[in-house]
Amino acid sequence: MLYLGCHLSSAGGFAAMGKTAVKIHANTFQFFLRNPRGGAAKDIKQEDIAEYKKIASENKFGKILAHAPYTLNPCSKDASIREFAQNVFADDLQRMENIPGNLYNFHPGSHVGQGVDVAIPQIVEILDAVMPEAKNTTVLLETMSGKGSEVGSRFEELAEIISKTKINDKKKLGVCLDTCHVYSAGYDIVNRLDDVLEEFDKVIGLDRLQAIHLNDSMTEFNSHKDRHECLGKGSLGTEALIRFINHPALRGIPLNLETPNELDGYAKEIDLLRRNYKE
Ligand code: FE
Ligand code: FE
Ligand code: ZN
């Protein structure tokens, strides 16, 4: 089954996102629970949730993916920023309980000079503190491009975070792979997809891979930049992305586009991928 969607605005609530998804032939989507800068969260209305659940089940949606605000930095040098990250993270996970069985993705953060060895225990500490809130949600660490001092551009870093947490249940803590980010980080998913997935399996475990961000990249391989591009207009190219979604190891994992598009652009990319997916 191809679960394919894109990032949608949550301004109109869950049912509105569900309806939009159906309109553009998506059967999953990504959204923010609050302003991406980390402001106040939107009220969750039970009627809206009930209507959303009906749309999702009628249209056989896959798991949907909430994205943490970009300002959430669990490994900031600044203790007050780490505290903010923990509070927002915990609050978001409590909100996710309204839509049980879905996914919450976050960036491991930027260590801003203090080094990965300091950053990783800080990320682990926050994860251990907030995970009890994730009763029916799977939390995902996103693979990063490695721009600036980002943590998580190497599979080893994500594996180390996961192994150092107290969370034993594999279904609770996983990874979201971003195609633009990994390619920018130096994993050649255009020419060596099998090898990259084998490496992911060896280092992290493919059973941890629970969501994919499908993006082309404005910058070249191994550039350590984070510039998403529309499918086919970047350095990955349409062919590589079609090969990617058809890879046997990635079947059934929900894919979300984060390409620089409005809805009609997303709809075109979704249709292109659906036409080129072999059941
Ligand atoms: Fe992200
Ligand atoms: Fe992403
Ligand atoms: Zn990105």
Side-chain angles (χ1 to χ4, degrees):
M1 188 65 176
L2 180 61
Y3 293 111
L4 178 60
C6 62
H7 189 92
L8 294 178
S9 161
S10 53
F14 283 94
M17 288 191 280
K19 284 177 197 161
T20 302
V22 172
K23 222 186 283 169
I24 60 172
H25 303 155
N27 52 358
T28 179
F29 56 87
Q30 176 176 268
F31 59 99
F32 288 120
L33 283 161
R34 65 184 74 233
N35 177 297
R37 308 303 311 165
K42 293 167 190 74
D43 276 344
I44 290 181
K45 297 192 184 69
Q46 289 312 315
E47 312 86 73
D48 180 43
I49 298 287
E51 195 188 347
Y52 167 70
K53 284 180 179 166
K54 195 159 164 272
I55 297 166
S57 86
E58 280 172 1
N59 293 282
K60 300 191 172 63
F61 277 17
K63 290 182 180 182
I64 56 172
L65 179 61
H67 196 302
Y70 294 135
T71 48
L72 192 153
N73 185 4
C75 60
S76 170
K77 246 200 289 212
D78 183 338
S80 71
I81 294 176
R82 292 202 302 277
E83 193 189 327
F84 170 80
Q86 183 171 325
N87 292 339
V88 167
F89 206 148
D91 186 67
D92 277 0
L93 291 177
Q94 284 163 12
R95 287 168 191 281
M96 289 298 287
E97 291 300 304
N98 289 290
I99 45 162
N102 290 300
L103 309 164
Y104 182 86
N105 172 65
F106 77 105
H107 297 174
S110 294
H111 64 69
V112 266
Q114 48 173 358
V116 188
D117 296 341
V118 176
I120 287 179
Q122 290 174 337
I123 299 163
V124 169
E125 190 185 327
I126 287 188
L127 266 174
D128 280 336
V130 301
M131 283 304 288
E133 307 296 344
K135 294 180 186 71
N136 296 287
T137 300
T138 303
V139 172
L140 306 178
L141 294 139
E142 183 166 352
T143 60
M144 302 310 291
S145 66
K147 72 169 191 296
S149 61
E150 268 175 354
V151 180
S153 64
R154 303 302 308 164
F155 295 161
E156 285 79 3
E157 292 172 358
L158 298 175
E160 192 181 337
I161 296 166
I162 291 168
S163 74
K164 285 188 168 154
T165 63
K166 295 197 193 86
I167 305 127
N168 299 313
D169 187 348
K170 283 200 168 187
K171 287 186 211 91
K172 288 258 126 133
L173 186 61
V175 171
C176 172
L177 184 148
D178 187 310
T179 55
C180 164
H181 297 177
V182 292
Y183 193 62
S184 292
Y187 292 101
D188 189 358
I189 55 172
V190 173
N191 301 299
R192 297 177 47 242
L193 178 57
D194 281 336
D195 296 344
V196 172
L197 292 177
E198 206 174 289
E199 190 175 342
F200 187 102
D201 194 34
K202 239 185 262 162
V203 178
I204 299 174
L206 273 172
D207 51 353
R208 296 275 188 184
L209 182 54
Q210 303 205 42
I212 288 159
H213 287 161
L214 197 74
N215 303 309
D216 211 325
S217 172
M218 273 184 204
T219 58
E220 72 275 24
F221 173 66
N222 208 14
S223 59
H224 297 279
K225 299 256 167 58
D226 183 357
R227 304 284 305 279
H228 300 191
E229 181 54 285
C230 294
L231 304 191
K233 290 188 183 153
S235 56
L236 279 87
T238 315
E239 246 176 76
L241 290 162
I242 287 170
R243 261 200 315 275
F244 184 91
I245 67 163
N246 281 291
H247 195 284
L250 305 175
R251 298 260 155 175
I253 300 173
L255 300 142
N256 276 293
L257 301 162
E258 299 175 309
T259 44
N261 273 310
E262 303 293 329
L263 272 185
D264 57 336
Y266 279 137
K268 280 184 193 133
E269 292 186 344
I270 288 170
D271 285 341
L272 168 83
L273 293 167
R274 290 203 180 282
R275 275 200 308 278
N276 286 284
Y277 182 74
K278 291 160 203 82
E279 283 296 340

